[in-house]
Amino acid sequence: MVIMLKLMKSAAPLVALGLMSIPLASPVLAQTTTNGITTQEASASDAFPGLKGFLNLPAADRSQINVYYAVRIKHADPAAVKIVMTHNGQSQTLRVGLDGRINPLPTREQLNGGAKIRISGPASGSYAMKLHVFSTQPNGKTYDAAGLANGVRQANSAMGKIAGALALMLPKLDRVYFVGGGNGEAEFANGQKKPLPKTTSAGEYPAGTPYFVPAQMNGATRLTFSNTVSLAHYDNPPK
């Protein structure tokens, strides 16, 4: 699942699930450019679309899902991009990892308390914030299949509550991708085992990434993998 906010450009932000994009109301962004560096400021809830609504959900409604955000940077040195959060008079730098992942994210208290985000980078660059939904189960070689199926339901329900009427335009999540998992296998209560399908070409995930579609493997109890999974993503079918 993907939620994207375009930054440093005049385009309106987009919220997207999978490969579908839907314009949202544009947040209030104060933008300035000085000596080739463009800076935008916005509330933390606008800079990280969907995060406030997600964290305000009851814990029981998101027990199997969590989110992280990553910055996509084009035509600029990633090291030149700075993200700073200000809350209650204190500033905190949000680090951008090699994979674009932002850490730490604003907390629910900071989002509800009016925290502000300042993002700066070369004016020549193109930047977008992208949200990933992933499983709360520990990364490893085994996963509880029923928990993952529940996570699919939780993710769709969460998006319905966060997106409101726009949720009708969003494709439903129906599967979990296991990045780095190698070969995967589903086990059933009767002892039966079935291999998990894999992506056939590179896209949002590398070619050969195993995935699990609960609706296609009713009754699966456990998933096992030949390699340790680095992250289990909830998402849509690839194009």
Side-chain angles (χ1 to χ4, degrees):
M1 180 166 70
V2 175
I3 292 179
M4 188 171 290
L5 172 65
K6 292 186 176 181
L7 304 169
M8 311 299 188
K9 297 293 181 183
S10 61
L14 301 176
V15 71
L17 282 175
L19 300 172
M20 176 180 288
S21 297
I22 300 173
L24 290 181
S26 179
V28 178
L29 299 174
Q31 178 173 310
T32 59
T33 299
T34 305
N35 296 326
I37 299 296
T38 295
T39 299
Q40 283 189 336
E41 295 187 3
S43 68
S45 59
D46 283 334
F48 294 92
L51 182 59
K52 181 177 179 179
F54 176 77
L55 294 179
N56 282 334
L57 292 172
D61 291 351
R62 47 187 173 90
S63 61
Q64 289 289 329
I65 58 175
N66 203 347
V67 300
Y68 73 86
Y69 287 71
V71 177
R72 283 185 173 178
I73 301 172
K74 295 181 179 179
H75 313 301
D77 179 3
V81 179
K82 307 296 181 184
I83 304 176
V84 177
M85 177 172 61
T86 303
H87 182 242
N88 289 340
Q90 296 184 337
S91 295
Q92 179 182 13
T93 298
L94 307 186
R95 300 180 300 277
V96 179
L98 295 177
D99 59 354
R101 186 167 179 168
I102 300 170
N103 186 56
L105 290 177
T107 65
R108 180 174 62 181
E109 290 72 22
Q110 290 168 333
L111 290 163
N112 291 335
K116 301 291 184 181
I117 297 292
R118 183 174 70 254
I119 305 175
S120 61
S124 60
S126 174
Y127 312 85
M129 203 84 78
K130 181 178 179 183
L131 180 151
H132 300 263
V133 180
F134 65 96
S135 171
T136 56
Q137 295 187 40
N139 297 333
K141 292 185 176 182
T142 61
Y143 284 79
D144 172 50
L148 294 170
N150 186 33
V152 169
R153 291 189 292 269
Q154 287 185 350
N156 284 314
S157 176
M159 281 309 304
K161 294 174 181 177
I162 293 170
L166 289 175
L168 297 174
M169 303 173 65
L170 302 178
K172 295 293 185 182
L173 306 178
D174 70 345
R175 63 196 61 203
V176 189
Y177 293 89
F178 300 89
V179 179
N183 297 317
E185 189 175 62
E187 300 179 5
F188 297 79
N190 62 2
Q192 183 183 15
K193 296 182 180 181
K194 292 183 178 180
L196 294 180
K198 296 182 178 183
T199 56
T200 57
S201 60
E204 186 67 30
Y205 305 97
T209 298
Y211 61 91
F212 171 57
V213 183
Q216 296 177 0
M217 292 189 171
N218 288 323
T221 58
R222 188 172 73 150
L223 308 181
T224 60
F225 298 89
S226 59
N227 300 332
T228 299
V229 175
S230 61
L231 207 60
H233 284 265
Y234 293 98
D235 214 327
N236 312 115
K239 273 189 175 180

